[in-house]
Amino acid sequence: MSLMLLDTASLYFRAFFGVPDSLRAPSGMPVNAVRGLLDTIAWLATTHGPDRMVACWDDDWRPAFRVEAIPSYKAHRVAHEVPGTTGIEEVPEVLRAQVPIIADVLAALGIARVGVPGYEADDVIGTLTTRAVEQQAGPVDIVTGDRDLFQLVDDAAGVRVLYPARGIRDPDVVNEARLAERYGVTSGQAYADMATLRGDPSDGLPGVPGVGEKTAAKLLAQYGTLAGILTARDDGDKGLTTTQRRRLQEADPYLRVAPVVVQVARDVPLPAFDPAVPAAPADPAALEALTAQWGLKSSVERVRTAFGWA
């Protein structure tokens, strides 16, 4: 029973910036993100034929537990502060207006949409992947434009990432061989350790100064894990240069907390839901109304065909 997990925000952001905003509802409102996401779902269902599909959702784009560990986490993407929250994400207003429409259409279609307060979609994906592996309920395809999810790749369990670097129709299929070829690491966990050392300016993660991907991969090949590298540092292992040892020591406050931020949660308390690809629309009347209101006929028809609805 194959499972496909969609990093929904990643995909609708990609659709918004990749599909012309000349695609508009009868009211004149742009619906390029809605149409683009539906066309993406239709393509994925037609090409890969998953038995189960889950649209994983960012109920919290900047979880408090990550901000508490590293306050700079996604700080540059905060549009404005709101007391009692970690801030409102900077999102184009034209896209922000389309997100509720996406949620409504997914509900009418019957595609499971799963988010959990206090967690990102990455954490939902991490939890669902972990459950599928533990239950031997794979294979699992994760569809995302976020490299952070490469940490979930696991050949033995049939977990891979479809990364649309060249577009959704020609994704980079990321498995352990691809990780080794592109990053010099041999597992998803090694990728997470490499990402911790390297850092990620796009997420406000400083990394270890002077340690890029190649150096991180070399150290992981030498010592196995981030924990192994830090043990070597503390033991004065001669395999580390003086400069490397100094940089790792200076970055110790970051390295102590970074794994909490970099590594996806795998034990999120998920609500009950049915992941099966729907055999018919969950709410045909609502789907018809939404299709007419937002001018989605061709995209909805492509989804209907992809799901095999008569």
Side-chain angles (χ1 to χ4, degrees):
M1 293 288 287
S2 58
L3 172 63
M4 178 167 281
L5 302 175
L6 309 180
D7 183 2
T8 317
S10 169
L11 296 177
Y12 65 61
F13 264 92
R14 176 172 289 271
F16 176 76
F17 288 108
V19 177
D21 64 5
S22 57
L23 293 180
R24 294 177 178 252
S27 66
M29 174 180 163
V31 288
N32 52 334
V34 184
R35 292 273 299 273
L37 179 64
L38 290 175
D39 290 347
T40 293
I41 289 171
W43 173 261
L44 291 167
T46 300
T47 307
H48 299 282
D51 301 297
R52 296 170 293 157
M53 177 182 285
V54 182
C56 302
W57 204 258
D58 282 320
D59 268 17
D60 193 333
W61 74 283
R62 190 173 179 243
F65 73 91
R66 290 194 167 99
V67 176
E68 288 168 5
I70 299 180
S72 62
Y73 180 63
K74 294 186 179 180
H76 61 295
R77 287 156 56 183
V78 175
H80 56 271
E81 302 287 349
V82 176
T85 77
T86 55
I88 302 299
E89 184 179 14
E90 187 174 13
V91 177
E93 285 305 318
V94 178
L95 172 56
R96 192 182 298 278
Q98 296 182 59
V99 175
I101 304 170
I102 290 170
D104 288 345
V105 174
L106 291 174
L109 287 167
I111 297 172
R113 182 176 68 87
V114 180
V116 177
Y119 293 95
E120 298 177 62
D122 287 10
D123 302 311
V124 174
I125 291 170
T127 300
L128 287 171
T129 299
T130 299
R131 288 186 181 181
V133 170
E134 290 175 347
Q135 297 166 7
Q136 298 183 336
V140 180
D141 278 344
I142 299 165
V143 188
T144 181
D146 184 352
R147 293 187 301 168
D148 291 344
L149 289 167
F150 291 179
Q151 65 185 270
L152 296 173
V153 166
D154 184 340
D155 283 6
V159 180
R160 64 181 186 172
V161 171
L162 304 181
Y163 180 71
R166 298 173 299 276
I168 200 67
R169 296 188 177 222
D170 185 23
D172 191 0
V173 178
V174 182
N175 52 21
E176 289 176 5
R178 181 59 175 152
L179 290 179
E181 174 192 0
R182 174 63 180 83
Y183 301 102
V185 296
T186 57
S187 69
Q189 181 57 53
Y191 181 87
D193 287 346
M194 183 273 291
T196 300
L197 290 161
R198 176 200 64 200
D200 187 348
S202 69
D203 277 344
L205 302 178
V208 178
V211 176
E213 284 183 358
K214 291 184 178 179
T215 300
K218 181 180 178 182
L219 292 173
L220 287 166
Q222 200 170 346
Y223 297 109
T225 63
L226 175 59
I229 293 169
L230 298 182
T231 297
R233 176 201 67 185
D234 296 341
D235 290 348
D237 190 286
K238 296 185 185 300
L240 292 171
T241 68
T242 301
T243 300
Q244 288 172 340
R245 188 177 301 110
R246 174 177 56 79
R247 286 173 171 166
L248 289 166
Q249 190 59 56
E250 290 173 350
D252 191 63
Y254 161 78
L255 290 170
R256 288 180 182 277
V257 297
V260 173
V261 179
V262 173
Q263 296 188 29
V264 301
R266 294 170 179 259
D267 57 355
V268 174
L270 301 178
F273 66 96
D274 183 359
V277 169
D283 190 335
L287 183 60
E288 183 178 352
L290 289 164
T291 299
Q293 180 180 2
W294 302 112
L296 306 176
K297 183 176 180 180
S298 60
S299 293
V300 169
E301 283 302 315
R302 279 190 277 273
V303 174
R304 295 179 68 96
T305 300
F307 286 170
W309 297 348

